[in-house]
Each structure stands twice: as C-alpha cells, then as structure tokens.
Amino acid sequence: MGRAAVVCAALGVWWWATVRLAWAGVGCADWGCLLPAVGLLVLLSAGAVAGSAFALERVGVRPGRRVALTAAGTLVVLRLAAESLPSSTSTLADAAAYGVACAFAGVLAAFMTEPSVARGWRVAALAAILALLPAALALSIARFGL
C-alpha cells in the first residue's frame, strides 16, 4: 500500500501540473474552445491512468491496471466530495492537497484490490468512500443552501 501511495501521489501531482499547464496553454475564455480544452484534459487523464498502471506494475503493485482504475474512480468521488469544501488560493496548497488525495486513493485502491483482503472489508471501504457523496451534498446544502 505504501508503494501505491507514493506512485499515485507523484503521478497525481504530475497530472495536476500538466493539466494546469495545458489549460493555461489553451488560454481562451469563450465557449468555442471548451471542446478542445476538455478533450485535452481527457487525453491527459487517460494517459495518467495508463502511466500509473504501468508504474504500479513496475514497483510491484499488482494488478496495476485494477489498482489504477480503482484509484481513478476513488479520485472522482473525492473530487466531487471536495466541491463542498472551501477552495484555496495557493497553488502550492492545491498541489499538496491533490498529492494527498492521490496517495489516499492509491492506498484505498491497493487495499480494495488486494486478494487477501476479505470481501466484507472491501465492501465496507467502497461504502465508506461512496458515503462521502451524500455527506458532501448535505454539507454543501447546509453551507450554501438550495
């Protein structure tokens, strides 16, 4: 799980930096360039997941593809849940937060895909991560109202 955390954190910060650079490179403010910008984001994200699968296999986290896909799904849930939290104006804080989130997703993914972990623990971990969504929605409604 430690190797998965390190690999996912490093690749997560790398992904965050490349997306920021790509978004700044596109640099438009109208709707006409939204499709190419989002397309570039999708390509970078798919490349990061493929790269993480390869990197996880190289450091001995097996099965790398399942861990990478599970971590990516976990990151989607974490990102949706994080929308209810206040944002930071610091770029360094954003990079650090994304690295921590990716490390957590890597650990959780390695745990959930480990064959020796009982099925009940896997289901409990999945339920806990999915419970973040309604909790974040409730927090958002309490904070901002409907």
Side-chain angles (χ1 to χ4, degrees):
M1 283 190 255
R3 290 181 295 213
V6 170
V7 167
C8 289
L11 288 173
V13 172
W14 173 81
W15 175 87
W16 175 85
T18 58
V19 166
R20 286 189 53 96
L21 287 173
W23 199 260
V26 170
C28 67
D30 62 358
W31 288 99
C33 66
L34 184 62
L35 185 62
V38 171
L40 183 59
L41 177 68
V42 169
L43 286 175
L44 287 172
S45 299
V49 171
S52 65
F54 175 75
L56 288 166
E57 286 282 341
R58 295 285 297 183
V59 298
V61 178
R62 303 222 190 318
R65 280 177 290 195
R66 280 187 38 205
V67 173
L69 289 173
T70 305
T74 303
L75 282 171
V76 168
V77 172
L78 289 175
R79 179 66 185 134
L80 290 172
E83 287 297 318
S84 65
L85 300 175
S87 62
S88 169
T89 57
S90 169
T91 306
L92 187 58
D94 282 344
Y98 205 80
V100 168
C102 289
F104 174 75
V107 166
L108 190 64
F111 175 78
M112 290 175 65
T113 57
E114 176 64 37
S116 64
V117 174
R119 186 168 190 241
W121 285 109
R122 288 185 207 174
V123 170
L126 179 63
I129 196 72
L130 290 178
L132 286 176
L133 292 176
L137 180 62
L139 178 64
S140 183
I141 290 172
R143 189 166 169 222
F144 300 113
L146 289 175

